[in-house]
Amino acid sequence: MQLKAILLSAAALAVFVVLAPPPPEVQHYPKREKVIFWHMWTAEWKPVVEGIVQRFNESQTQYEVVPLVVPADGATTKFLLSASGGSTPDLVSQWNPVLGTWSDRSLVRPLDEIMSPAEKQRYTSEAYPIMQRHATYKGRIMAMIAGVDVSALYYRLDHLKEVGLDENHLPQTLEGVMELAKKLDRRDKNGKLTRVGFLPQSWKQIAPSFDSNFGEGVDMTFDTPDNRRAAEFIVDNDKRLGFDAVRRFTSSQAADTGMTQPLIAGNYSILLDGQWRVKQTAQYAPNLAYCVAPVPPPKGGKAMASMTDPNYLMIPRAANCPKGAWAFMKFWLGMDDAEAGGHNVADMGWLPYCDRVAHSHNYQEYLKKYPRFKTFVDLVASQNLQVFPRSMLQTFATDEITKVEESNNHGTLGAVEGLKHLDQTIADEKARQRRLGNLR
């Protein structure tokens, strides 16, 4: 019944999503076993993925991976509809929070069914803890993590110079960051914000530094003392600047792309952002002076902490060539060949899954080209990275958190009230899902 319900929901959603069929499958090695790979990378990333596929196809003679772009807006629905018909691709990429739901519905195959004992032992002994946490669900290895996003602080050095600081004299606590931010704020003669020192807007993103824990699975909990501290930190900063002033400032910002991205535009002095910003900044403003450092802990908090988001590689249960899909996943990550993995991960501008790949010649060359990226390589090995609770409620909870954070930022809901409201909303949804028979 659960599978039927989710497939009916997918069919209903398809009314609102253009479900054009995938393009024809082009196979260049017709005598090989074909591995159909659905991925969501478009624009500048499409040729990068195709380059990884080509290198894999040239590295061996048994399999041919055929990549097909499935636009992100309809990727989940397309996959669910393909699963309902029993005709799925052999490998899918996803960055949406679907692992728990798809695993619970038996739509994806546990990889430890395909791994050899030696491969499993090597993976569990060398993969960074955060990679293993994202890959594992209810004790089974359900995915490989092609890349994981972590966050750190970006500092504009020209702004620091205005207050007599440089990259060797950064704040050592989060409270110190806020004191520095106050010195970096700028307003015009009418009191309108023209530059903000530091403006984090998501307590979920910064909560790991406060030693917050959201719980596990459907038993997620948000109204805790540590989460309150994180939420109050965000709300207090907005209150200091003025809720209306912040809203006007953020609404006036240009698109977060190219030369108008906030680090380059200079509208913020300190940014909490992910590793992708390093390569983007080098592309559009190669001479910009900035530095990157981990978020320093608040008093009583944790250093080298961050919330994380994964890019999954998963094998559908109905895949025709799961062994070929697994061979490609290993190649992508560098499990058998660290140099190949270092090349692939560097091309994507991502973080490696283990030290062996991080220390490969290809990846070290990438770090020489983008030395600021090393902060994120150090971070990805940290024990203090957090994973959002995975379950069938994950997407619902994430959406509700976004609503509460927006209310916090607008000053219409206090930090503590927002967390209480969030826990009650999720409890109500959990009860509803139990009545529908989707939860025990």
Side-chain angles (χ1 to χ4, degrees), residues 91-148:
L91 180 65
V92 294
S93 71
Q94 262 286 348
W95 53 68
N96 294 314
V98 298
L99 185 67
T101 301
W102 289 8
S103 298
D104 286 340
R105 303 300 192 262
S106 296
L107 297 177
V108 291
R109 181 188 294 258
L111 297 184
D112 46 30
E113 291 181 355
I114 304 172
M115 292 174 158
S116 70
E119 287 171 339
K120 182 177 180 180
Q121 192 280 329
R122 183 173 60 186
Y123 177 77
T124 55
S125 65
E126 74 174 7
Y128 294 134
I130 192 60
M131 299 294 186
Q132 296 193 53
R133 288 185 66 190
H134 277 300
T136 305
Y137 181 71
K138 294 184 176 179
R140 305 296 300 272
I141 301 174
M142 300 301 301
M144 285 290 106
I145 308 305
V148 67

Side-chain angles (χ1 to χ4, degrees), residues 77 85 91 96 101 122 133 153 165 207-208 221 246-247 259 262 267 280-281 292 328 338 352 356 367 381 407 432 436:
T77 302
L91 180 65
N96 294 314
T101 301
R122 183 173 60 186
R133 288 185 66 190
L153 294 182
L165 295 178
T221 303
V246 168
R247 186 160 57 248
M259 290 297 296
N267 299 319
Q280 282 183 2
T281 304
V292 186
F328 178 59
R356 185 167 50 85
L367 293 182
S407 296
R432 188 179 77 88
L436 294 172

Side-chain angles (χ1 to χ4, degrees), residues 171-377:
Q172 299 302 301
T173 66
L174 196 52
E175 292 85 358
V177 171
M178 194 50 62
E179 288 304 312
L180 171 59
K182 294 175 183 178
K183 300 176 184 178
L184 295 168
D185 295 334
R186 296 291 182 268
R187 298 177 188 263
D188 64 17
K189 61 182 181 180
N190 298 316
K192 180 182 177 182
L193 283 168
T194 58
R195 188 178 83 190
V196 173
F198 184 42
L199 187 64
Q201 294 281 276
S202 169
W203 53 260
K204 170 178 171 279
Q205 193 66 22
I206 209 165
S209 296
F210 287 84
D211 199 14
S212 296
N213 191 305
F214 296 158
E216 296 290 337
V218 296
D219 296 323
M220 61 185 79
T221 303
F222 299 98
D223 184 18
T224 65
D226 292 329
N227 285 336
R228 289 182 183 182
R229 288 183 63 210
E232 287 169 346
F233 177 84
I234 299 294
V235 172
D236 287 349
N237 189 40
D238 285 343
K239 186 185 299 182
R240 174 184 68 82
L241 293 166
F243 293 113
D244 289 340
V246 168
R247 186 160 57 248
R248 286 193 297 270
F249 177 81
T250 55
S251 64
S252 69
Q253 301 306 298
D256 184 8
T257 57
M259 290 297 296
T260 60
Q261 62 165 280
L263 183 66
I264 296 174
N267 299 319
Y268 300 87
S269 299
I270 306 168
L271 279 172
L272 178 65
D273 214 338
Q275 74 281 348
W276 57 86
R277 193 68 74 186
V278 173
K279 195 171 183 180
Q280 282 183 2
T281 304
Q283 179 181 357
Y284 294 104
N287 297 320
L288 183 69
Y290 72 95
C291 67
V292 186
V295 177
K299 294 177 181 177
K302 284 189 173 181
M304 301 291 285
S306 172
M307 184 57 70
T308 60
D309 293 300
N311 285 280
Y312 298 115
L313 292 172
M314 297 175 287
I315 299 178
R317 175 62 72 177
N320 290 320
C321 192
K323 290 185 177 180
W326 171 237
F328 178 59
M329 294 163 82
K330 289 193 297 176
F331 177 84
W332 184 307
L333 269 67
M335 290 183 65
D336 293 335
D337 184 344
E339 289 299 334
H343 189 172
N344 300 334
V345 179
D347 275 6
M348 294 296 291
W350 283 353
L351 294 163
Y353 90 99
C354 71
D355 279 339
R356 185 167 50 85
V357 175
H359 294 152
S360 69
H361 173 76
N362 283 333
Y363 201 78
Q364 287 298 308
E365 287 297 307
Y366 177 78
L367 293 182
K368 288 180 184 177
K369 185 176 181 181
Y370 303 105
R372 298 177 183 92
F373 205 87
K374 188 177 183 302
T375 295
F376 297 98
V377 179

